[in-house]
Amino acid sequence: MGLSAKQQQIREREQQIIRVARAQVLSEGYHGFGLEAIAVEIGVSRGTLYNHFSCKEDLILAVLMESLELRLGWVQRAASFRGTSRQRMTAILVAIELFARIRTDHYRIEEIVRSGTVWEKANSEKRIAASHMNGQATGIVAGVVRDAIVQGDLEFPADVKPEEFVFGVWSLIEGGFSIHSNSGRLWQPMTKQSGRILRLSAWRLLDGFGWKPLSTGEEFSDQTESILKELFSAEFRLLKQDW
Amino acid sequence: MGLSAKQQQIREREQQIIRVARAQVLSEGYHGFGLEAIAVEIGVSRGTLYNHFSCKEDLILAVLMESLELRLGWVQRAASFRGTSRQRMTAILVAIELFARIRTDHYRIEEIVRSGTVWEKANSEKRIAASHMNGQATGIVAGVVRDAIVQGDLEFPADVKPEEFVFGVWSLIEGGFSIHSNSGRLWQPMTKQSGRILRLSAWRLLDGFGWKPLSTGEEFSDQTESILKELFSAEFRLLKQDW
Amino acid sequence: MGLSAKQQQIREREQQIIRVARAQVLSEGYHGFGLEAIAVEIGVSRGTLYNHFSCKEDLILAVLMESLELRLGWVQRAASFRGTSRQRMTAILVAIELFARIRTDHYRIEEIVRSGTVWEKANSEKRIAASHMNGQATGIVAGVVRDAIVQGDLEFPADVKPEEFVFGVWSLIEGGFSIHSNSGRLWQPMTKQSGRILRLSAWRLLDGFGWKPLSTGEEFSDQTESILKELFSAEFRLLKQDW
Amino acid sequence: MGLSAKQQQIREREQQIIRVARAQVLSEGYHGFGLEAIAVEIGVSRGTLYNHFSCKEDLILAVLMESLELRLGWVQRAASFRGTSRQRMTAILVAIELFARIRTDHYRIEEIVRSGTVWEKANSEKRIAASHMNGQATGIVAGVVRDAIVQGDLEFPADVKPEEFVFGVWSLIEGGFSIHSNSGRLWQPMTKQSGRILRLSAWRLLDGFGWKPLSTGEEFSDQTESILKELFSAEFRLLKQDW
DNA sequence: AATGAATGAGCGTTCATTCAT
DNA sequence: GATGAATGAACGCTCATTCAT
């Protein structure tokens, strides 16, 4: 269809806008997120942006949405890892950490979404979509936890729901990265290898909940690396720093 | 002294400005942090603010500083808890979580500091002071970890430093709260009782590292509560939600 | 061309801004040069000004530039006067004086440029252009002096360069006007006919340097008038006061 | 009288204020003329300044007044030089130029007085006093011209008044210095030795009007120097650049 | 007489948004 | 659909002036 070709074109332009917008946020932070800068970078006028997004906030949410989609894909891939329940959980931890480290921009966007009037101003359907997308990711992880329980690898206190457990693990990884990314400012560089200690902590957290097979030493290092290479070799190459 | 009375007054006004500034950030987010809004709220002119702070960024850092000071005090109090090393660590976890939950504004301020040109523009001496204040808090926690090792309650992998361990635990608590405080926005309320699962996760993380005495069940709940009542009863009352 | 029409419109607006800006300076002095006042006078918003000039200083320099361009044109016209070298020099004196008297605003602008941080803040290419434009005018005058020497109408002390001689004459005319334009303020009106005495002084200065043909009496009055009518009749009519 | 001692003290403070104010203008230009900077430099509060001057403009005018007084003194001294009428006139030229070169601040002040609303806002009696002080100086010079005519050294066209002649000469010197002081900005440095060419031009202007004894060559250089040493040796030493 | 915190109008500048073309 | 000039409210900041102490 001729129309379809045109729609395709529009779609491409939208994604170009999103891509450039994300790059701006990443390099300039909140204050770099100006429509003029984005328009210039793309080579269109500011007015054109409004043919694609009804306001600035809608654009921000579109950027966020893309991140969430991407992350969901990674989590899905990780959850499908063929192995023990503990290995699948490990794969998810690897996915989240890798995402956090490669997609620094994602945090910037989240900050913006949180810090301003974004959520209020943006199109409500986009808001719901974003919430849903995020919920899917956590749901998948909770599914792995349930599998572990079913398979007898994990025994939970009666009053702890899988979603809650996910919340704890996820907090550890994301919180760690969040602190790390602040290092240059408020925090003295806590550790040069914050990734390693974060992975170790997550691994020991699984132990703490009795997720079998319990760790016997430093094997987490080998396991995460092998999962990384199997599932995310391409993405891993994008990572400039050490793992 | 007459002089002292006047200085007292000035001091009070400064703290009033800081207080109102924080309140604005809390209620309005990044965009609430405008000098006009703060001035109007206090009932003074914008010019007056400049008699107390040389620029906007200096004010932001003053707000942050107050938070950091307060948190440091809580951490110090917790580290002085009389009990086993594990109890002292637990006390610290309680302190951090309580602070995070009472001082939501603190996160907002940190976001602002991170997201803009604050760090560059602000008075360098204030920047250093803030860094130092933050470093003190983490240092105290690392001290408790070292005590545990010395006392034989904790045995570490050779290549993990106490500061790194602290980094992991701190990440869990702060990350958890950070996600929680976003609930209304991006995340569906993960759990009504995010605090409880966070405390449980932290507790199990200690187990995972073999910090003795290992937990045998749900006793963490009793322990944190008793510490809370002993050390932070007054502060606890400020907490509107359930513990 | 449609494009040209639009560009024409933009160009016109720019010149409108410059025109109004100059008028404000003329009527209100330094403090008339505020963007708000200019915008209101034109009937646009302050923001609009920034679509045409990147900062206040750029606008100031644009105003100055227009003056310098105009003056250069007059000097060029005068230097092309067909007559003896002394007549050509006289024509230049007439041009400078006429410019000074018609373009009072020019002095105000120069004051502003000198008194503030204009030169530092403005676009460097505009600064260079202004310098160059000014240099061209003095260069033309020096050329006339050289012609006079070549033609044997003028004999110089060995150590005086034409440019230096120009400096002296120019000083007399501009300094005279500068004092005159201050009359209403600090100086009592020195003379109702400051122009005439200035012209006479300049004329006698030429005599003092032996520029032939030497004056024999009051013929300078006739000569300047005839030059005025031949070269600057249109501009002369703009002059409200007597010559 | 005890009162007198106190008044003396007040007077001294006023002069201190004036002195500092002038220094600020000299070093910082128009924008350096802020009450805060002046107050800090003196070591008093801004409020105190208002016990001595009713508004900023009054202070500016007081600064100007001091300059005018000083210059008048120099002109008087020069007019009393014992020698021919031409030598006395030369002495005055030397005085004006020296003043212009040493008292750069004077021009800055005049600019400020001219450029703003100073004249309107300032106390009217101060305005009149300043005008009067300025008139006295020109009157003295006109007196020397009259002496020259009486003594037969100078013959004037019937329709030129001594005051007008003074206006021409004065214009040359002050205009020259004015252009010179702009060198670094709009004008290319016209000449390294603008003083010398200015003096030569003034000297030749006297020749042009037939003021005897006419110059025969470069003797103006010797004459101005000897006058300078005789009348203004102390002041000359303040001059950093070459004469 | 001296203080200096408070004032408040004013400044130059930015930027998301609109709309005539 | 794309443009980009115009908008106008908001921003951070300055500073001459006032006035309670």
Side-chain angles (χ1 to χ4, degrees), chain C residues 30-31 111 114 119 131 134 138 159 164 168 171-172 175-176 182 185-187 191 196-197 201 204-205 208, chain D residues 30-31 111 114-115 119 131 134 138 159 164 168 171-172 176 182 185-187 191 196-197 201 204-205 208:
Chain C
Y30 188 98
H31 289 108
E111 274 166 24
R114 225 180 304 144
W119 210 254
S131 256
N134 199 59
T138 56
D159 58 353
E164 294 179 322
S171 296
L172 175 60
N182 293 338
R185 300 276 158 86
L186 186 56
W187 292 70
T191 165
R196 188 180 177 279
I197 184 65
S201 297
R204 295 294 179 108
L205 182 54
Chain D
Y30 186 98
H31 289 109
E111 273 166 27
R114 223 180 305 145
S115 69
W119 210 255
S131 259
N134 199 58
T138 57
D159 57 353
E164 294 180 323
S171 295
L172 176 60
N182 293 338
R185 299 277 159 85
L186 187 55
W187 292 71
T191 165
R196 189 181 175 277
I197 184 65
S201 297
R204 296 294 179 107
L205 182 53

Side-chain angles (χ1 to χ4, degrees), chain C residues 10-49:
Chain C
I10 294 171
R11 178 85 198 192
E12 269 167 28
R13 165 128 303 176
E14 261 168 32
Q15 281 179 325
Q16 188 190 18
I17 295 171
I18 291 172
R19 197 182 334 122
V20 170
R22 176 185 292 113
Q24 287 286 358
V25 166
L26 184 57
S27 68
E28 307 291 335
Y30 188 98
H31 289 108
F33 206 87
L35 298 187
E36 171 67 8
I38 292 168
V40 165
E41 182 69 24
I42 300 176
V44 299
S45 73
R46 255 176 303 172
T48 300
L49 302 180

Side-chain angles (χ1 to χ4, degrees), chain B residues 107-170:
Chain B
Y107 287 90
R108 285 284 170 89
I109 302 289
E110 274 200 82
E111 273 165 27
I112 292 174
V113 169
R114 226 180 304 143
S115 68
T117 44
V118 174
W119 210 254
E120 282 75 19
K121 282 183 165 181
N123 192 312
S124 81
E125 120 199 18
K126 290 208 168 162
R127 267 165 18 210
I128 292 169
S131 256
H132 182 69
M133 188 68 69
N134 199 59
Q136 263 188 280
T138 55
I140 286 168
V141 187
V144 172
V145 176
R146 286 203 169 82
D147 285 353
I149 294 170
V150 168
Q151 289 160 25
D153 293 338
L154 180 60
E155 205 170 339
F156 255 14
D159 57 354
V160 176
K161 280 177 289 183
E163 277 76 12
E164 294 179 323
F165 174 76
V166 170
F167 175 67
V169 181
W170 199 290

Side-chain angles (χ1 to χ4, degrees), chain B residues 6 32 43-44 47 59 65 68 83 106 119 122 151 162 169 217 219 226 243:
Chain B
K6 188 153 225 172
V44 299
L59 171 53
M65 196 63 185
L68 294 175
H106 175 77
W119 210 254
Q151 289 160 25
V169 181
E219 75 277 28
S226 72
W243 177 246

Side-chain angles (χ1 to χ4, degrees), chain D residues 114-135:
Chain D
R114 223 180 305 145
S115 69
T117 43
V118 175
W119 210 255
E120 282 74 18
K121 282 185 170 179
N123 190 309
S124 81
E125 115 198 24
K126 290 208 169 165
R127 266 162 22 205
I128 293 169
S131 259
H132 182 67
M133 186 67 70
N134 199 58

Side-chain angles (χ1 to χ4, degrees), chain B residues 74-85:
Chain B
W74 290 18
V75 169
Q76 280 172 327
R77 230 197 298 171
S80 321
F81 185 77
R82 300 203 168 268
T84 65
S85 68

Side-chain angles (χ1 to χ4, degrees), chain D residues 17-34:
Chain D
I17 295 172
I18 291 170
R19 195 181 338 118
V20 170
R22 174 184 292 113
Q24 287 287 353
V25 167
L26 183 57
S27 68
E28 307 291 335
Y30 186 98
H31 289 109
F33 201 79

Side-chain angles (χ1 to χ4, degrees), chain C residues 21-222:
Chain C
R22 176 185 292 113
Q24 287 286 358
V25 166
L26 184 57
S27 68
E28 307 291 335
Y30 188 98
H31 289 108
F33 206 87
L35 298 187
E36 171 67 8
I38 292 168
V40 165
E41 182 69 24
I42 300 176
V44 299
S45 73
R46 255 176 303 172
T48 300
L49 302 180
Y50 281 84
N51 287 327
H52 297 278
F53 300 95
S54 71
C55 67
K56 195 199 186 192
E57 284 71 21
D58 256 34
L59 172 54
I60 293 175
L61 238 46
V63 176
L64 177 64
M65 196 64 184
E66 237 199 35
S67 283
L68 293 175
E69 268 181 63
L70 185 69
R71 191 181 64 179
L72 176 59
W74 291 19
V75 169
Q76 280 172 327
R77 230 197 298 170
S80 320
F81 185 76
R82 299 201 168 267
T84 65
S85 68
R86 178 143 181 164
Q87 284 172 324
R88 291 170 69 208
M89 189 65 209
T90 303
I92 288 171
L93 297 178
V94 167
I96 298 175
E97 188 192 339
L98 190 60
F99 177 81
R101 292 177 69 179
I102 291 180
R103 283 306 176 88
T104 314
D105 51 5
H106 175 77
Y107 288 90
R108 285 283 170 88
I109 302 288
E110 274 200 83
E111 274 166 24
I112 292 175
V113 169
R114 225 180 304 144
S115 69
T117 44
V118 175
W119 210 254
E120 282 75 19
K121 282 184 167 181
N123 190 310
S124 80
E125 121 197 18
K126 290 209 169 163
R127 266 164 22 206
I128 292 169
S131 256
H132 183 69
M133 188 68 70
N134 199 59
Q136 263 188 281
T138 56
I140 286 168
V141 187
V144 172
V145 175
R146 286 201 170 84
D147 286 352
I149 293 170
V150 167
Q151 288 160 27
D153 293 338
L154 180 59
E155 208 171 337
F156 257 13
D159 58 353
V160 176
K161 278 179 288 181
E163 277 76 12
E164 294 179 322
F165 174 76
V166 171
F167 176 67
V169 181
W170 199 291
S171 296
L172 175 60
I173 301 289
E174 288 220 354
F177 176 72
S178 174
I179 291 179
H180 173 80
S181 75
N182 293 338
S183 286
R185 300 276 158 86
L186 186 56
W187 292 70
Q188 299 296 358
M190 259 265 122
T191 165
K192 289 256 165 76
Q193 292 226 331
S194 65
R196 188 180 177 279
I197 184 65
L198 228 47
R199 257 167 278 136
L200 174 58
S201 297
W203 190 259
R204 295 294 179 108
L205 182 54
L206 301 187
D207 287 337
F209 273 97
W211 195 320
K212 288 172 225 165
L214 296 182
S215 69
T216 57
E218 291 294 306
E219 74 277 27
F220 85 95
S221 203
D222 295 337

